[in-house]
Amino acid sequence: MNTSQPGLVVPYVATWSGEHWDDLPHLVERPGGAGIAYPDEILGDRDRMGVLWDRATGRPGHGKPQYAKVHPLRQRRAMRKLLCQVCGTPADTTEHGVLWLLRDTGVPCLADMLVTEPPICWSCARLSVTVCPALRKGHVLVRAGSFPLYGVDGIRYRAGRPDPVPVEHWAVPFTDPAIAWTLAAKLVRDLGDRTVLDL
């Protein structure tokens, strides 16, 4: 949990006003039409799958919390390592799976359940439903027995002149060649073998 003031609850994955990244970064087309790149790209700009990620500074606790804006690097770390999205410690895990707290959209999900929200621990789940306005409107607590990495959520680009052009915001699987044209902002998991729980 990030905090700069006593008593202030700021989720681990939230962004602070002292952290910056460009909403429309300057991107170029890779040689041979092989996707997008930063003109000054460094090794840390891509993950081990070769996906290009939003650049963001890491200064948690600096400035004011921006609850609705998820920090791409902390979200990715929490999803990959199955850390609680609120406190950043390991999420609640049993022999039946890992715990997720999701907003209730009112749409039943019988098949795939793609999520960008990292998992959660029990104590943070109880806290979140009381302090988060979006969750107070409705939430679903799910234990997932399977949760493979699916792909990324971000902005898809197309070739353009002089620079690539942003087209749409989408979730793309790692198996789709269009991922080379996607600037990732969040890691996506597919929750399966789900059990709905009650806090």
Side-chain angles (χ1 to χ4, degrees), residues 106-123:
V107 178
C109 296
L110 303 176
D112 294 338
M113 181 182 276
L114 302 179
V115 298
T116 58
E117 298 91 342
I120 200 161
C121 67
W122 268 108
S123 59

Side-chain angles (χ1 to χ4, degrees), residues 10 22 25 31 35 41 47 72 98 103 107 117 129 133 135 137 159 180 191:
V10 182
D22 190 351
E41 192 169 310
D47 62 21
V98 178
R103 284 181 291 167
V107 178
E117 298 91 342
V129 297
L135 293 174
K137 293 177 184 175
L191 305 188

